[in-house]
Amino acid sequence: MNLNSEHFPPRPAWTEIDLGKLRRNLQLIRGDLPKHVQLMAVVKDEAYGHGALDVARVAVEEGAWGFGLSTLEEAMTLRDAGITAPLLLLGERQEAELEWCAAHDLTVCVNEIHNVRALAKIAAKLGKQVPVHVKIHTGMSRYGVRWDEALPLIEQIVAEKSLSLEGVMTHFSQSDETEKTFANLQFARFQEILTALEQRKISVKLRHTCNSGGFLDLPHTHLDMVRVGILLYGVFPSLVCRKIPGIEPVMSVKAKIAAIQKLKPGEVVGYGMRYTAASERRIAILPIGYGDGFPRVRNEGCALIHGRRAPLLGGIAMDALMVDITDIPQAQMWDEAVIMGRQGNEEITVRDIAKLKNSVTYDVLTSWRLRLRRKSVNHTKQDETRISRIDTNSAKPESIRANS
Ligand SMILES: *Cc1c(COP(=O)(O)O)cnc(C)c1O
């Protein structure tokens, strides 16, 4: 028997990433876009918790132009694993990072003069002409140069021989809500810049403004490329945005029943005794808790077992939650329960969990902890099932190393 640490049995709680659904979502999004509009797949924060390398590989096959990322480490991980597509770092860079970016062909946004000069020097030293994007803040007040101060900066970039202006971009504060007035104001500010650039005969290959919400609901702002994140993963950015039929969630969270208890009337459940049985109850213990990223709720929410809703009882613990299976008599030890996702005709959506958490779907997707291993299903042609071994002490899932 192989008792090597690579081979111990997987924990009976995990996230399941359906790469077949991811592929389908990419195809539907690609098919919805006009041919001339490029698709940037946003894979920051481990592809919203789905595993950036697995997602990147599928997205390359489905014709994504490149990837949007947030940190240098995220980008280096993809480069090290052999992803050669453009990688655009969306946030702001420290000067010390610029050398790495230039050396590994990571594209950065330069939004202030100091970084323009520093990057130009580094590029010249490397004998490269480095493509850059400029992020223009048109009202979001986050990263980027103000729209009414952008022109001199862009002219400086164009004047640097070792840099090439590949992209100009902006980001909407409000794109997935019914109210589009502010988005349209932001776009008008962005267009002022584009017009000024045209007048100066400064050409830009990639003008981009849209996240998922903009892609869905602001087609007049698509320009040359859209930056799609959450929709790739099958979650619509809001309830009111346009829907593309067939897009489905890629991530599920599952656990197996690890204990069953019988309660007599008057008996209590969990820390703080927040639930008291009014009648005889049968409950299942699922080995997943707030230490895995499930919201710290009491007597709220449910899990799916045998395609039926089993309500949560009491307060959830770090490593366990308790559900009522009195009405699911067929439920047995080690049966599979769905914490987030679909089972039979029932579904617990990412939005349902977001409500329990008083937060947004983005936060739910990225909050599942790495001790829930990622199991990728419908992976590639072979349709194999793999379990990504996660090293909880490191930011890098082992699947990434194993595949590199
Ligand atoms: C995260 C991000 C996106 C993707 O947003 P979604 O709403 O997930 O599609 C696009 N652009 C920028 C600048 C981002 O930071």
Side-chain angles (χ1 to χ4, degrees), residues 343-355:
Q343 196 186 52
N345 296 323
E346 288 285 354
E347 187 177 13
I348 298 169
T349 64
V350 181
R351 213 168 289 282
D352 291 335
I353 308 275
K355 264 187 220 135

Side-chain angles (χ1 to χ4, degrees), residues 174-353:
Q174 193 176 48
S175 60
D176 55 14
E177 293 169 51
T178 317
E179 177 56 54
K180 306 288 192 214
T181 312
F182 195 68
N184 285 322
L185 171 66
Q186 284 188 272
F187 190 60
R189 288 169 172 169
F190 189 64
Q191 273 184 312
E192 277 173 36
I193 304 286
L194 298 182
T195 307
L197 293 181
E198 264 167 47
Q199 285 164 353
R200 286 163 179 74
K201 305 247 177 321
I202 297 174
S203 67
V204 189
K205 201 167 74 185
L206 296 169
R207 301 158 302 165
H208 49 112
T209 70
C210 288
N211 56 3
S212 294
F215 155 62
L216 290 166
D217 284 357
L218 298 164
H220 60 291
T221 70
H222 283 176
L223 301 174
D224 307 310
M225 182 161 74
V226 293
R227 307 183 301 266
V228 178
I230 198 152
L231 192 62
L232 301 176
Y233 311 111
V235 179
F236 286 89
S238 80
L239 289 170
V240 297
C241 65
R242 178 171 70 98
K243 301 297 185 301
I244 298 177
I247 295 240
E248 283 184 89
V250 173
M251 184 194 290
S252 320
V253 180
K254 299 183 176 179
K256 291 180 177 173
I257 296 175
I260 291 177
Q261 305 289 351
K262 287 188 191 123
L263 304 182
K264 293 187 175 144
E267 292 183 343
V268 297
V269 174
Y271 290 122
M273 301 163 290
R274 298 290 175 149
Y275 175 84
T276 307
S279 54
E280 278 193 9
R281 300 273 105 191
R282 187 168 172 256
I283 70 171
I285 319 307
L286 302 176
I288 178 170
Y290 62 76
D292 297 296
F294 196 89
R296 198 349 190 138
V297 290
R298 292 176 177 133
N299 297 312
E300 252 190 304
C302 61
L304 305 179
I305 296 173
H306 288 275
R308 308 198 38 199
R309 291 184 174 261
L312 262 74
L313 301 183
I316 100 154
M318 192 186 296
D319 309 303
L321 54 82
M322 287 70 105
V323 296
D324 190 337
I325 52 167
T326 313
D327 297 332
I328 315 172
Q330 66 273 45
Q332 295 302 331
M333 282 292 286
W334 307 114
D335 281 354
E336 190 171 294
V338 168
I339 307 297
M340 186 177 87
R342 187 175 272 287
Q343 196 186 52
N345 296 323
E346 288 285 354
E347 187 177 13
I348 298 169
T349 64
V350 181
R351 213 168 289 282
D352 291 335
I353 308 275

Side-chain angles (χ1 to χ4, degrees), residues 42 44 48 90 135 142 171 211-212 227-230 362:
V42 178
K44 60 196 181 195
Y48 297 37
L90 294 166
K135 188 169 208 172
R142 200 174 65 177
H171 193 49
N211 56 3
S212 294
R227 307 183 301 266
V228 178
I230 198 152
Y362 295 77

Side-chain angles (χ1 to χ4, degrees), residues 113-135:
I113 194 73
H114 185 80
N115 270 2
V116 170
R117 296 213 178 98
L119 185 63
K121 238 184 237 167
I122 291 164
K125 209 168 71 189
L126 292 171
K128 284 186 175 177
Q129 205 195 28
V130 167
V132 298
H133 290 224
V134 178
K135 188 169 208 172

